[in-house]
Amino acid sequence: MISLLRQVTVAAPRLALKSQVIRAGPTFMKMHRQLSTQSHLLQKGKKDEKPASILTDDMLFKAGLDVEDGKNAKAEEEEGSQEEGNAQQQQNKKRKKRMTSADKKKEKYANWFYIFTFSSMAGLGLYMCRDWEENEDEAMKKDIDNGYTPDLMYKRFRARFNSIFTYFQEPPFPDLLPPPPPAPYQRPLTLVITLEDFLVHSEWDQKHGWRTAKRPGADYFLGYLSQYYEVVLFSSNYMMYSEKIAEKMDPIHAFISYNLFKEHCVYKDGVHIKDLSKLNRDLKKVMIIDTDENSYKLQPENAIPMEPWDGKADDKLLRLIPFLEYMATQQVDDVRPILNSYHDKKNLPEEFQLRVEKLKRKFEEDQKKKSDGNWVLKLLGVAPVVNAIGGGSKFPLDMIREEGEKNYVRFMKLIEEEKEKMRIQQEQMGGQTFTLKDYVEGNIPTPEEQMKMQIEKQKEIDALFEEKKKNQN
């Protein structure tokens, strides 16, 4: 009985539900169809969705990845250019919020650096505007008074600021040459000669590389004029390139008194200038021979311009000697008026030769008149000694040239003897060295003993040289 009641109780709701379904009819079927369709659409939407990542933005930022790039790209596509600025501002704010301690330190140090830099520049500017000091250059203080008005402060600042750059434009020393020797040993004139494209010419080709040719007559030119002039070789190139060439031109420094290079030039208006006023010599007694007009643009009245030598053989150096010899032997007070009297300085040797020929013809005519007018000697049967030119005496410039040739021969003989002595000295001194053992054991002679050894060695060298000279004779 009890089991029967249980079956009835369970079956009763099922029968009620079934009866309701039967009563519903088609309406229930439609509702069932709609529910099934909606559930199908919901399931399809879930399939299209991408699975969510377990990596959050904070985790990616700590790993060093920029998590905002993808978001900004989507924002540009969806919201346009106006929303791009807002996204960027939000991104900057987020980045500022996410700055690490190291980034904060860097930003702090950078701010302090900027503050220190600007304050230092402001302090330096005020310091350069101060009143003049006694030890400052007088040329810089010219026409600028002391005072703290805006105009005077600006002028002092500008003068001091410009002096910083003129420091690199001036030669390393105010006087490039030492004071001239006393009168008995002093040459009457100073001759400044350029090296490149005048005495030598350098070329480069793929087969041989750099090659330097010496101009014909360069040795004779330097040797002959060194008896009249203080020769200064002023190269237009830097010392590291021209020093070896200058040493080969005069290895024992017998002809060239001083060597100067591009480092000793004045840099002005974008060119290097050989300022003769820096030589510590009287400009009335200085001449310069150069192939570049920019080199002597500060003293053009002292210049003898020449065409650059292209490496081909010529005799222009020899043709310059008579004029330079004349200038040195005539005791000229100022060379500038004489140089400026020539119409074309580049053809100065030719113009000088024409003047000499005119002077020579006049001299011969005067000598002939004197010879014809001396009837007393003719009556006595005594005739004046005539030379090859037909006059009673030699032309003065010819006499000067003959005397100069004799002095040059004697001078070159002394030069050769000095070279031979130097060669013997190098051979004798080559083996005299001290080892580290001598320094450690204290076997080094005293300075007095070394001086005695050098004197004795020099006597031996002189004896060897005299003996060799006798054998050659």
Side-chain angles (χ1 to χ4, degrees):
M1 188 68 179
I2 294 171
S3 61
L4 181 62
L5 290 173
R6 288 176 180 175
Q7 290 178 2
V8 172
T9 304
V10 173
R14 292 179 180 175
L15 292 173
L17 179 61
K18 186 175 182 180
S19 62
Q20 290 177 2
V21 171
I22 293 171
R23 291 191 195 102
T27 304
F28 177 78
M29 295 300 293
K30 290 180 180 179
M31 293 174 62
H32 178 71
R33 191 177 296 113
Q34 290 176 356
L35 290 172
S36 64
T37 304
Q38 291 176 359
S39 65
H40 176 69
L41 292 173
L42 291 173
Q43 290 178 0
K44 186 177 181 181
K46 290 181 180 180
K47 287 182 181 180
D48 293 340
E49 291 180 357
K50 294 182 180 179
S53 175
I54 63 173
L55 297 176
T56 63
D57 292 348
D58 293 334
M59 296 174 67
L60 293 174
F61 178 77
K62 291 180 180 180
L65 298 177
D66 194 352
V67 298
E68 301 296 335
D69 292 344
K71 295 181 180 179
N72 289 340
K74 292 179 180 179
E76 290 176 0
E77 294 176 359
E78 295 175 357
E79 299 178 1
S81 59
Q82 183 175 3
E83 296 180 357
E84 180 183 355
N86 298 332
Q88 188 68 25
Q89 291 178 359
Q90 293 177 1
Q91 179 183 356
N92 294 335
K93 290 180 180 179
K94 289 181 180 179
R95 287 184 178 178
K96 288 182 179 179
K97 292 179 181 179
R98 294 174 181 174
M99 286 178 62
T100 62
S101 60
D103 294 335
K104 292 179 180 179
K105 286 183 179 180
K106 289 179 181 179
E107 186 176 359
K108 180 181 178 182
Y109 294 150
N111 293 334
W112 278 111
F113 174 76
Y114 296 144
I115 294 172
F116 176 76
T117 302
F118 290 130
S119 59
S120 300
M121 292 176 64
L124 180 62
L126 292 174
Y127 179 74
M128 294 179 69
C129 295
R130 72 189 188 280
D131 285 343
W132 296 117
E133 297 178 357
E134 295 181 358
N135 58 351
E136 290 185 288
D137 189 10
E138 294 294 334
M140 184 172 60
K141 298 189 290 185
K142 187 177 180 181
D143 300 331
I144 303 176
D145 299 328
N146 290 328
Y148 287 97
T149 61
D151 182 50
L152 293 175
M153 292 176 66
Y154 170 73
K155 288 181 179 180
R156 288 195 297 270
F157 174 82
R158 186 178 62 180
R160 289 190 174 105
F161 184 78
N162 293 334
S163 66
I164 298 174
F165 297 96
T166 55
Y167 176 80
F168 299 98
Q169 297 173 355
E170 294 290 328
F173 309 104
D175 296 329
L176 299 179
L177 302 181
Y185 308 99
Q186 185 180 0
R187 297 289 192 273
L189 299 176
T190 299
L191 182 64
V192 181
I193 305 174
T194 186
L195 178 64
E196 288 78 17
D197 292 334
F198 180 70
L199 295 178
V200 299
H201 177 73
S202 299
E203 290 183 353
W204 185 91
D205 55 26
Q206 191 173 3
K207 182 178 180 181
H208 303 93
W210 279 105
R211 293 187 299 173
T212 301
K214 185 166 61 175
R215 197 168 190 172
D219 293 333
Y220 178 77
F221 179 81
L222 294 174
Y224 189 83
L225 294 178
S226 62
Q227 61 182 316
Y228 299 119
Y229 288 89
E230 180 187 35
V231 180
V232 178
L233 191 65
F234 206 144
S235 174
S236 300
N237 212 337
Y238 291 105
M239 178 185 285
M240 61 182 298
Y241 301 115
S242 300
E243 186 178 19
K244 292 183 179 179
I245 300 175
E247 288 294 328
K248 289 185 178 181
M249 295 293 295
D250 186 16
I252 64 173
H253 302 281
F255 309 139
I256 302 172
S257 302
Y258 304 100
N259 289 320
L260 299 176
F261 304 93
K262 195 173 185 178
E263 289 87 348
H264 303 97
C265 293
V266 174
Y267 186 75
K268 187 177 182 181
D269 299 331
V271 294
H272 289 83
I273 306 171
K274 301 174 183 178
D275 190 359
L276 301 181
S277 64
K278 305 288 186 181
L279 296 181
N280 195 20
R281 297 293 186 270
D282 186 6
L283 289 178
K284 297 179 181 179
K285 306 290 185 179
V286 178
M287 291 189 295
I288 179 172
I289 303 176
D290 209 294
T291 59
D292 184 8
E293 60 182 7
N294 289 323
S295 298
Y296 51 82
K297 65 186 300 184
L298 295 181
Q299 294 90 16
E301 63 276 4
N302 293 78
I304 301 176
M306 298 293 293
E307 293 292 339
W309 181 51
D310 57 359
K312 298 179 181 178
D314 60 10
D315 59 346
K316 288 188 177 181
L317 289 180
L318 302 180
R319 290 160 62 185
L320 265 175
I321 291 177
F323 171 77
L324 297 174
E325 185 179 37
Y326 167 79
M327 294 290 290
T329 55
Q330 298 303 309
Q331 298 181 356
V332 179
D333 294 332
D334 193 347
V335 299
R336 292 172 291 187
I338 299 176
L339 292 175
N340 293 329
S341 65
Y342 289 85
H343 302 290
D344 186 6
K345 289 184 180 180
K346 290 187 177 181
N347 295 321
L348 187 145
E350 291 79 5
E351 191 172 349
F352 176 75
Q353 185 63 30
L354 294 176
R355 294 186 182 185
V356 170
E357 290 177 358
K358 291 180 180 179
L359 187 62
K360 198 170 187 180
R361 286 196 298 267
K362 185 178 179 181
F363 177 80
E364 291 176 0
E365 292 175 358
D366 293 340
Q367 291 297 318
K368 188 176 181 180
K369 289 178 181 180
K370 289 181 181 180
S371 177
D372 294 340
N374 198 349
W375 55 272
V376 178
L377 293 177
K378 290 182 179 180
L379 290 175
L380 295 175
V382 179
V385 179
V386 297
N387 54 13
I389 64 174
S393 61
K394 289 186 178 180
F395 186 57
L397 293 181
D398 291 338
M399 296 175 62
I400 293 173
R401 188 61 189 273
E402 290 178 3
E403 189 66 25
E405 288 289 347
K406 292 178 183 179
N407 293 334
Y408 172 73
V409 172
R410 288 194 293 266
F411 183 57
M412 292 304 297
K413 188 176 181 180
L414 293 175
I415 296 290
E416 293 299 328
E417 291 178 357
E418 191 65 27
K419 287 182 178 181
E420 185 64 22
K421 284 184 181 180
M422 291 179 63
R423 189 187 64 79
I424 296 173
Q425 186 175 3
Q426 289 176 356
E427 292 177 355
Q428 296 295 324
M429 297 292 186
Q432 185 179 357
T433 57
F434 298 102
T435 61
L436 181 61
K437 182 179 179 182
D438 296 331
Y439 283 97
V440 173
E441 296 179 356
N443 296 329
I444 304 299
T446 61
E448 292 79 7
E449 293 176 350
Q450 292 182 14
M451 182 63 68
K452 291 180 181 179
M453 292 172 60
Q454 289 180 2
I455 293 173
E456 293 177 359
K457 183 65 67 175
Q458 188 64 38
K459 290 180 180 179
E460 294 179 2
I461 292 171
D462 293 340
L464 290 173
F465 176 75
E466 293 296 333
E467 183 179 355
K468 187 175 181 179
K469 188 176 178 180
K470 288 180 181 179
N471 296 332
Q472 289 179 353
N473 293 333

